[in-house]
């Protein structure tokens, strides 16, 4: 089990259901299409998932469709992705893909960089409204970069981008530093993402005004694996929390959309014991 650091800027802590509403529930929806395993869920920042994606990926990352207002130029306009990478000291190749963006959009880039530099690029100190990441074997020609830009522009959550690029193993799309969409050829990817979401959700529930961050162990792989075997979609809420002893989640095998009421029909409870740092399901 891996320990995960959860701070006050985690996606469950910063995203609310309405201005004064509660935080987001944990949601996951898993499906498969032609050998590609697809995960949609809430809530996670890009920086919280890079290490979960990494075991499956190739050495080069393609980063595109970045929409952000954290990095600004002197006039208050968003910096181009190539400039964000430059200011972070990351060596990246930039190809202009403004032509593939919506009319009137700011100039946009497709970046290729070492996958190992993604943690530094999405370092948690800034947020974005959109970002897509795809792994590739090596540098892209201009023609292939254009194909990726166009395919990502036309992609929707009802389709599968990896079917267009069979040499890639992972595609990640994040929205509002909250919603996540992952496609992977690795059948263990849904379970790995689920264990990470559970740790992030639990850590968020244990934070208070006096606690800057907490370390939470991911649950045993078998717990998440068994849950996804029972149902391919779950919604989790916090049932009880004691910052010094125990935190308990309740899970319902149902789908959830923003604006939908949360079900009170709990079919499974998952508890984290802070002293033993272990999870148990019942």
């Amino acid at each position: 089990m891996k320990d995960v650091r959860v701070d006050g800027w985690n996606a469950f802590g910063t995203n609310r259901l309405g201005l004064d509403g509660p935080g987001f529930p944990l949601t996951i929806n898993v499906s498969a299409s032609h050998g590609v395993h697809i995960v949609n869920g809430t809530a996670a920042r890009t920086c919280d998932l890079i290490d979960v994606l990494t075991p499956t990926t190739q050495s080069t990352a393609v980063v595109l469709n970045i929409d952000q207002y954290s990095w600004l130029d002197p006039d208050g306009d968003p910096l181009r992705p190539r400039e964000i990478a430059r200011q972070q000291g990351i060596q990246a190749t930039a190809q202009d893909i403004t032509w593939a963006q919506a009319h009137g959009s700011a100039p946009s880039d497709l970046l290729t960089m070492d996958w190992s530099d993604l943690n530094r690029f999405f370092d948690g100190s800034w947020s974005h409204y959109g970002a897509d990441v795809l792994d590739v074997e090596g540098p892209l020609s201009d023609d292939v970069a254009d194909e990726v830009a166009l395919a990502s522009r036309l992609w929707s959550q009802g389709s599968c981008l990896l079917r267009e690029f069979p040499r890639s193993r992972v595609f990640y799309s994040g929205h509002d530093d909250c919603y996540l969409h992952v496609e992977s050829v690795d059948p263990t990817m849904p379970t790995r993402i689920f264990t990470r979401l559970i740790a992030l959700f639990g850590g968020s529930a244990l934070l208070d005004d006096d606690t800057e961050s907490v370390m939470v162990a991911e649950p045993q792989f078998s717990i998440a694996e068994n849950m996804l075997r029972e149902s391919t979609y779950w919604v989790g809420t916090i049932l009880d929390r004691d910052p010094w002893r125990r935190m308990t989640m309740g899970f319902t095998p149902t789908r959830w959309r923003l604006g939908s009421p949360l079900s009170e029909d709990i079919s499974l409870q998952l508890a984290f014991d802070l002293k033993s740092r272990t999870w148990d399901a019942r």
Side-chain angles (χ1 to χ4, degrees):
M1 294 184 293
K2 181 174 182 178
D3 280 346
V4 178
R5 180 181 181 274
V6 185
D7 60 30
W9 295 104
N10 76 87
F12 288 111
T14 58
N15 291 282
R16 318 301 296 178
L17 299 176
L19 292 177
D20 299 315
F24 264 63
L26 187 165
T27 70
I28 190 167
N29 188 348
V30 176
S31 60
S33 174
H34 299 272
V36 178
H37 303 271
I38 303 170
V39 183
N40 290 288
T42 57
R45 303 172 298 178
T46 304
C47 62
D48 293 322
L49 295 177
I50 292 171
D51 66 310
V52 181
L53 306 177
T54 296
T56 304
T57 62
Q58 300 168 96
S59 60
T60 302
V62 177
V63 182
L64 70 163
N65 298 330
I66 295 176
D67 183 12
Q68 58 85 32
Y69 284 94
S70 294
W71 295 83
L72 305 175
D73 66 18
D75 295 324
D77 295 321
L79 289 181
R80 295 188 68 149
R82 65 181 69 187
E83 183 61 20
I84 297 174
R86 189 192 68 80
Q87 292 197 20
Q88 292 174 314
I90 294 172
Q91 186 174 3
T93 299
Q95 289 155 293
D96 191 309
I97 57 168
T98 306
W99 62 269
Q101 307 304 301
H103 180 70
S105 297
S108 186
D109 296 320
L110 178 150
L111 302 178
T112 52
M113 63 182 72
D114 286 344
W115 186 275
S116 60
D117 286 330
L118 279 181
N119 275 316
R120 194 148 47 101
F121 187 77
F122 296 108
D123 68 355
S125 66
W126 61 287
S127 62
H128 56 74
Y129 300 101
D132 293 345
V133 181
L134 185 75
D135 78 302
V136 293
E137 187 177 7
L140 298 182
S141 66
D142 289 342
D143 288 345
V144 175
D146 286 348
E147 289 179 17
V148 172
L150 182 59
S152 67
R153 176 64 181 163
L154 298 175
W155 170 82
S156 67
Q157 287 198 6
S159 58
C160 178
L161 190 78
L162 285 191
R163 291 182 61 184
E164 304 291 330
F165 300 100
R167 293 184 180 180
S168 294
R169 301 171 183 171
V170 168
F171 169 61
Y172 161 86
S173 184
H175 180 62
D176 283 349
D177 252 0
C178 173
Y179 301 95
L180 64 102
H181 172 92
V182 175
E183 301 174 10
S184 176
V185 298
D186 182 356
T188 70
M189 183 67 76
T191 305
R192 297 209 309 269
I193 291 175
F194 198 13
T195 61
R196 177 57 53 88
L197 290 178
I198 290 170
L200 292 170
F201 193 42
S204 178
L206 294 172
L207 290 172
D208 56 34
D209 293 339
D210 298 322
T211 307
E212 179 179 338
S213 65
V214 294
M215 297 296 293
V216 179
E218 291 181 341
Q220 299 93 312
F221 191 86
S222 59
I223 289 178
E225 187 177 43
N226 289 337
M227 289 178 67
L228 291 178
R229 187 177 294 120
E230 178 181 342
S231 173
T232 56
Y233 39 83
W234 290 93
V235 176
T237 55
I238 301 299
L239 299 180
D240 184 51
R241 72 196 88 191
D242 180 341
W244 304 107
R245 296 180 57 196
R246 193 174 179 86
M247 180 278 306
T248 305
M249 302 176 187
F251 283 89
T252 304
T254 187
R255 292 182 173 90
W256 180 84
R257 292 182 180 274
L258 185 63
S260 301
L262 295 173
S263 174
E264 296 182 359
D265 184 19
I266 303 300
S267 65
L268 182 146
Q269 292 187 19
L270 189 58
F272 180 65
D273 185 281
L274 274 73
K275 184 175 181 180
S276 65
R277 301 183 57 74
T278 58
W279 294 85
D280 65 85
R282 59 180 184 276

